[in-house]
Amino acid sequence: MKKLVLIGNGMAGIRTIEEIIKREPEQYEITIFGSEPYPNYNRILLSLVLQGDSKVDDIVLNDYDWYKNYGIVLHSGDEVTKVDTENQLVYSSEGKEVPYDKLIFATGSNPFMLPIDGADKEGVIAFRDIKDCETMISTSKSYKKAAVIGGGLLGLEAARGLLNLDMEVDVIHIQDYLMERQLDEPAADMLKKELEDQGMNFLMGKETVKIRGKNRVSSLLFKDGSSIKADLIVMAIGIKPNIALAKEAGLEVERAIVVDDYMQTSAPNVYAVGECVQHRGMVYGLVAPLYEQGKVLAEHITSQTPEQTAGYEGTLLYTQLKVSGVDVFSAGEFVDKEDTKAIRVHDEFEGIYKKVVVRDNKVIGSVLFGDTSDSPRLLDMMKSEQDISEMNKVSILPSEQERGTGESPVVAMAESETICGCNGVCKGDITDAVKTKELSSVQEVTQVTNAGRSCGGCKPLVSDLLEHTLGEEFNKADQKQPMCGCTDHTHEEVQAEIKEKHLTLVREVMNVLEWENKEGCSSCRPAINYYINMVHPLEAEDDANSRFINERVHANIQNDGTFSVVPRMYGGVTNPDELRKIANVADKYNVKMVKVTGGQRLDLLGVNKEDLPGMWEELGMPSGHAYGKAVRTVKTCVGQDFCRFGTQDSIQMGIDIEKKFQGVQTPHKVKMGVSACPRNCAESMIKDIGIVGLQGAWEMYVGGNGGIDLRQGELLCTVETDQEVLDMISAYMQYYRESARYLERTSHWIERLGLEHVKAVVVDDKKRQAELIERMETTLSTFNEPWEQIIQDGKIKQDYYEVKVTS
């Protein structure tokens, strides 16, 4: 048996070994050297470990038994230090000397560290491996202020993880917008807004020139002379191929190890794959091309006629990833040029952005943000250079039609279209496997086909395809989606356990339900806190630390670290006294801008955090809850007292609704509108709850939403009196509160449950309707106006708003 040695125990090298074993399991006696003391793990999911969503064991791709089962000798934690290509020997740091017939370099890459003064101080690290994760986790126990240099994917994932570790995080980026290699400016702006809502603070266009501190880092200095404090600095500005060993061994290297189409280096019987490789001038850092290289190399060195095997011809660059919970896809040329045209969908309400760039009737690039379900189709169109001159927008972006029908885009895909780009798995591969191997879960599909094994972004499509293929045999109960990586429990199961076991604390829930990550994460902690408050409104003690920063401080954080203040104006009505107070505080606190919002409110922008309580006290107005997962605004038209078409007093109705339901916590934000007639001047038809006046009656529409892809509200009922309107809103909203998953908008919730079902519960079943109204009244009885509460509570002011001076 020939001897094969692999240098590097990472994803590209091990995938090559898997491909070799698949073809000729007995051809080679395999030895693997890895510098890290772990089996092969999924580096793409390292951020989940840092963020607390997974443990190291969860991201292991091949455990120690896998090596043992295939007779592979693994030297983990033992680095190869020398290669003798003439005598075909490798030497390791622990003194091992191993001969080879074939040698594969898969040495990956190293993080790039800024060569600036202070970069060698304690507390300055990269984000590349498990050790870096462990360093960040241990640092968070003693220090609280972190700075991440780099607004690319890795930097943002590191920042999200540090937030989960309760650190304050500044992200420094030298460019004017984030992830400029994967996103255009509109998509980057949406991402930035989303991440700011999660608590990140961004310093854009800043160049770091020095790291200060004695032994340990204490601050960063920027080129413009400004500086910030930091206890930990994570450099995430890129990687460079790890070629030192290859260079020393005499292999031809340029930017990386130079290989031909069979991944062969300049030395006989020495090959290379992965991030350390330069092929036709290109160096790849994404997983899909690395796996393609591994497949070509495996075919070549297991074939009896290697010269006749297909060579590697390069890979179309694309990225499919999830950034702090947001789905993102980009491929090819996505920047507008004079000879290109683009199809754009931009829905700020749903947080969805789609751009397809076309040149000469061919798709040459795309950016998808928020909804990436069209990515496999677009990628195949780009690869095949399909002529789209006869296609309309819906044919190119089928999800835009299917968002209305509820049908998954996977149904319209051809069997040859790729579903898992990372592992090159097409729709036909999955349907064949499901049918021939009788697969019934996403996990089984992943085990058999590798689909979803790397970044996992394709798993929703795999699930849809599974359901489409199995038809009536598909059991949704078997496909349950856990709340997050901390637990196997679904949202529904967690809520049921909170009720049944009478759990009233976030940590109690995680402990009783045996959370794998004892501290929880940014996905599960706010959800648990919401469910507890919803189920036990009279007993629950709100856990402010489980909320996002906007909800913790009751104001929206802005891109410069200041906040916006939106006082409540019931029904969009104000008066000279309120306007004078707003003008006075705007002057006193140097408010940068006073902006009229779409919800008929005034937004005071640019307020310092420590000024918030004082401003609220001087305003003497209640919070507008513009930051919360709660009832926000009730927009009204001028109504029958002023409008010649008005048939109802929409202003008073809107004021009554807003006063009754202000601040009620809901799974997601809830906006309402009251129009005095069917002309809908208050846009009632695109609100979560829209009231429309008729002669002697009110219509109630539900599940509406705004944006380019509008969802018109559906008629729930028609009632005659104002009190019936309030009662029906109570029943409907309480049912939404009890049966929606946290962060599920009413438009999605009603599509999932169906309007007829909701009608049957809240309109037709009078007993259940009365019970829902009663529970809503109980919730309303617990309402405390948050700004007033903070003004009166010295401890809250001290904890969240007062500036802490540290030496």
Side-chain angles (χ1 to χ4, degrees):
M1 192 180 287
K2 292 180 181 177
K3 297 182 185 301
L4 172 65
V5 173
L6 170 67
I7 306 175
N9 192 30
M11 295 173 70
I14 296 300
R15 173 54 67 88
T16 307
I17 298 298
E18 289 178 340
E19 296 287 348
I20 291 170
I21 292 172
K22 191 192 301 180
R23 288 165 175 77
E24 295 290 343
E26 305 296 331
Q27 188 169 344
Y28 290 104
E29 182 182 300
I30 301 171
T31 301
I32 299 174
F33 286 89
S35 58
E36 290 187 79
Y38 306 101
N40 171 237
Y41 65 86
N42 190 339
R43 196 181 299 277
I44 299 172
L45 302 183
L46 206 54
S47 57
L48 298 184
V49 175
L50 179 62
Q51 292 168 17
D53 291 342
S54 295
K55 296 184 294 187
V56 171
D57 289 346
D58 297 331
I59 64 171
V60 168
L61 290 170
N62 302 83
D63 60 20
Y64 288 114
D65 287 341
W66 177 82
Y67 296 87
K68 187 178 175 183
N69 292 339
Y70 288 103
I72 297 170
V73 176
L74 171 64
H75 299 298
S76 58
D78 188 5
E79 197 170 0
V80 172
T81 54
K82 181 181 177 185
V83 175
D84 181 348
T85 56
E86 188 172 336
N87 296 302
Q88 301 200 160
L89 291 168
V90 300
Y91 300 89
S92 79
S93 59
E94 294 184 357
K96 297 184 180 67
E97 177 184 316
V98 180
Y100 67 83
D101 296 300
K102 302 285 185 187
L103 175 66
I104 301 173
F105 273 76
T107 47
S109 57
N110 293 321
F112 182 76
M113 304 293 283
L114 282 177
I116 56 176
D117 186 11
D120 56 347
K121 292 187 184 303
E122 184 186 352
V124 181
I125 63 171
F127 180 33
R128 182 65 182 161
D129 53 29
I130 290 173
K131 185 181 176 186
D132 293 329
C133 280
E134 291 172 344
T135 301
M136 283 188 255
I137 291 169
S138 64
T139 302
S140 70
K141 294 173 182 172
S142 305
Y143 300 94
K144 287 300 169 193
K145 194 150 180 61
V148 177
I149 302 177
L153 170 65
L154 207 58
L156 299 179
E157 292 290 10
R160 178 62 262 174
L162 291 165
L163 281 178
N164 284 12
L165 296 170
D166 283 336
M167 296 194 81
E168 297 174 24
V169 184
D170 291 314
V171 178
I172 300 114
H173 196 46
I174 196 168
Q175 303 295 335
D176 292 330
Y177 62 91
L178 301 171
M179 292 184 65
E180 67 280 356
R181 292 183 181 179
Q182 289 86 21
L183 302 178
D184 63 357
E185 199 160 352
D189 286 345
M190 293 175 75
L191 177 63
K192 182 165 173 278
K193 176 72 171 60
E194 171 67 29
L195 298 179
E196 284 170 344
D197 288 344
Q198 294 183 20
M200 288 184 206
N201 183 45
F202 290 96
L203 301 170
M204 307 300 292
K206 292 279 189 181
E207 182 178 349
T208 309
V209 294
K210 186 175 183 179
I211 295 173
R212 291 167 167 165
K214 291 185 179 178
N215 296 321
R216 186 178 183 86
V217 58
S218 62
S219 65
L220 292 90
L221 176 66
F222 302 117
K223 191 174 183 178
D224 61 9
S226 61
S227 64
I228 60 169
K229 292 185 180 302
D231 305 313
L232 172 72
I233 296 173
V234 180
M235 288 199 189
I237 52 176
I239 55 175
K240 55 183 179 181
N242 182 8
I243 56 174
L245 183 66
K247 200 171 181 179
E248 192 177 316
L251 305 186
E252 181 186 357
V253 297
E254 292 177 0
R255 287 193 296 148
I257 304 170
V258 177
V259 297
D260 63 13
D261 289 354
Y262 295 117
M263 315 314 296
Q264 183 152 8
T265 70
S266 58
N269 296 316
V270 179
Y271 301 83
V273 291
E275 294 173 341
C276 63
V277 157
Q278 179 178 322
H279 172 261
R280 298 188 186 181
M282 287 290 294
V283 178
Y284 297 94
L286 302 171
V287 68
L290 312 188
Y291 285 176
E292 288 182 38
Q293 294 170 1
K295 194 177 287 187
V296 168
L297 174 54
E299 185 66 27
H300 183 69
I301 65 173
T302 56
S303 172
Q304 298 300 314
T305 54
E307 67 282 355
Q308 295 179 12
T309 59
Y312 178 63
E313 297 182 346
T315 305
L316 174 68
L317 285 177
Y318 70 95
T319 307
Q320 170 97 44
L321 39 84
K322 190 180 279 287
V323 187
S324 295
V326 182
D327 290 315
V328 173
F329 168 82
S330 79
E333 299 179 42
F334 55 81
V335 177
D336 295 317
K337 294 179 181 172
E338 287 187 0
D339 60 343
T340 63
K341 292 183 178 178
I343 300 168
R344 289 180 173 83
V345 175
H346 193 169
D347 184 343
E348 292 183 280
F349 292 88
E350 290 289 339
I352 291 172
Y353 175 77
K354 302 177 182 181
K355 177 181 177 183
V356 180
V357 182
V358 177
R359 178 189 291 133
D360 298 332
N361 293 320
K362 293 173 184 174
V363 176
I364 61 165
S366 176
V367 174
L368 305 177
F369 179 92
D371 175 6
T372 59
S373 56
D374 290 317
S375 59
R377 182 176 184 78
L378 291 168
L379 199 57
D380 272 11
M381 293 170 79
M382 293 170 67
K383 286 179 177 176
S384 64
E385 300 185 343
Q386 184 176 349
D387 188 328
I388 63 164
S389 55
E390 301 298 322
M391 300 173 70
N392 57 28
K393 188 191 85 170
V394 168
S395 302
I396 297 169
L397 292 171
S399 65
E400 286 306 294
Q401 183 180 44
E402 281 125 12
R403 284 170 75 188
T405 65
E407 185 175 88
S408 169
V410 79
V411 175
M413 288 172 64
E415 294 291 294
S416 60
E417 289 189 47
T418 303
I419 286 186
C420 177
C422 296
N423 293 281
V425 185
C426 68
K427 177 181 174 181
D429 295 333
I430 296 174
T431 51
D432 286 348
V434 170
K435 291 174 182 173
T436 59
K437 299 185 184 302
E438 298 182 349
L439 309 181
S440 61
S441 71
V442 174
Q443 188 178 8
E444 288 176 344
V445 172
T446 299
Q447 287 172 345
V448 172
T449 68
N450 275 335
R453 194 180 177 207
S454 298
C455 76
C458 64
K459 284 186 176 180
L461 283 180
V462 174
S463 178
D464 290 347
L465 180 56
L466 194 61
E467 180 175 6
H468 178 66
T469 306
L470 293 177
E472 294 181 355
E473 296 177 15
F474 179 79
N475 184 355
K476 286 193 173 179
D478 293 336
Q479 315 298 325
K480 73 173 191 177
Q481 293 292 320
M483 177 181 278
C484 66
C486 301
T487 179
D488 292 331
H489 292 288
T490 65
H491 284 262
E492 290 79 6
E493 289 170 345
V494 171
Q495 192 183 140
E497 294 284 344
I498 288 171
K499 188 174 185 179
E500 185 179 330
K501 294 185 167 65
H502 206 86
L503 308 176
T504 57
L505 298 170
V506 172
R507 287 192 177 278
E508 184 184 20
V509 172
M510 295 192 291
N511 183 44
V512 171
L513 301 185
E514 297 180 337
W515 238 241
E516 293 181 22
N517 172 20
K518 301 300 180 191
E519 297 299 318
C521 68
S522 60
S523 296
C524 62
R525 288 183 67 107
I528 296 171
N529 189 48
Y530 166 75
Y531 292 137
I532 290 174
N533 280 280
M534 185 272 292
V535 173
H536 306 298
L538 299 177
E539 302 161 74
E541 184 175 335
D542 185 59
D543 183 357
N545 290 324
S546 291
R547 294 180 178 273
F548 294 129
I549 184 170
N550 288 347
E551 290 189 303
R552 285 205 301 271
V553 301
H554 296 279
N556 278 324
I557 191 168
Q558 306 298 304
N559 58 10
D560 60 355
T562 63
F563 290 80
S564 74
V565 169
V566 183
R568 191 170 290 281
M569 294 176 176
Y570 298 104
V573 176
T574 185
N575 56 55
D577 284 343
E578 286 183 346
L579 293 174
R580 268 190 286 273
K581 283 192 281 188
I582 290 171
N584 289 338
V585 297
D587 281 341
K588 178 175 179 179
Y589 292 97
N590 297 315
V591 168
K592 293 179 182 174
M593 179 180 285
V594 180
K595 172 81 171 63
V596 178
T597 73
Q600 300 178 334
R601 305 292 185 267
L602 289 177
D603 191 349
L604 285 71
L605 294 153
V607 182
N608 293 321
K609 185 178 175 183
E610 60 271 23
D611 291 336
L612 290 172
M615 177 180 277
W616 297 337
E617 188 167 8
E618 290 178 45
L619 280 171
M621 297 171 70
S623 165
H625 286 89
Y627 46 81
K629 308 290 181 287
V631 173
R632 292 192 174 179
T633 59
V634 182
K635 188 172 184 175
T636 64
C637 65
V638 296
Q640 66 179 12
D641 289 348
F642 300 94
C643 178
R644 57 197 174 100
F645 300 111
T647 58
Q648 294 278 9
D649 188 352
S650 54
I651 290 179
Q652 190 57 53
M653 187 76 255
I655 290 172
D656 291 346
I657 292 171
E658 192 161 350
K659 283 191 172 179
K660 182 176 180 67
F661 298 105
Q662 62 178 318
V664 170
Q665 300 295 301
T666 44
H668 211 303
K669 59 189 174 186
V670 170
K671 297 181 179 179
M672 303 192 211
V674 181
S675 301
C677 77
R679 286 175 175 77
N680 267 306
C681 291
E683 301 172 333
S684 301
M685 301 297 283
I686 56 168
K687 299 297 184 187
D688 295 278
I689 298 173
I691 308 298
V692 178
L694 304 176
Q695 198 67 46
W698 294 99
E699 289 180 335
M700 178 170 165
Y701 292 84
V702 293
N705 205 351
I708 291 176
D709 183 24
L710 291 172
R711 186 182 194 281
Q712 183 174 320
E714 298 176 272
L715 181 63
L716 181 73
C717 61
T718 303
V719 296
E720 294 182 356
T721 68
D722 294 357
Q723 185 59 48
E724 286 177 296
V725 171
L726 295 174
D727 287 345
M728 198 54 69
I729 292 175
S730 280
Y732 175 79
M733 200 154 59
Q734 183 65 17
Y735 191 51
Y736 168 58
R737 296 179 75 236
E738 293 178 359
S739 57
R741 297 163 188 155
Y742 187 67
L743 296 186
E744 187 175 31
R745 290 294 301 268
T746 60
S747 55
H748 296 154
W749 169 72
I750 208 157
E751 284 182 359
R752 179 165 64 84
L753 268 59
L755 179 67
E756 292 308 312
H757 167 82
V758 176
K759 266 186 183 177
V761 173
V762 305
V763 180
D764 301 336
D765 188 337
K766 299 302 180 189
K767 180 173 180 293
R768 227 172 147 184
Q769 180 192 92
E771 292 170 348
L772 288 165
I773 293 172
E774 185 179 353
R775 289 199 288 276
M776 173 58 85
E777 290 298 323
T778 301
T779 296
L780 293 174
S781 71
T782 66
F783 175 68
N784 288 309
E785 204 294 303
W787 290 358
E788 179 63 25
Q789 190 178 17
I790 291 163
I791 291 166
Q792 299 299 330
D793 191 322
K795 186 173 187 312
I796 298 178
K797 269 203 292 192
Q798 185 178 16
D799 288 348
Y800 290 105
Y801 302 96
E802 291 184 2
V803 176
K804 296 179 175 66
V805 179
T806 57
S807 58

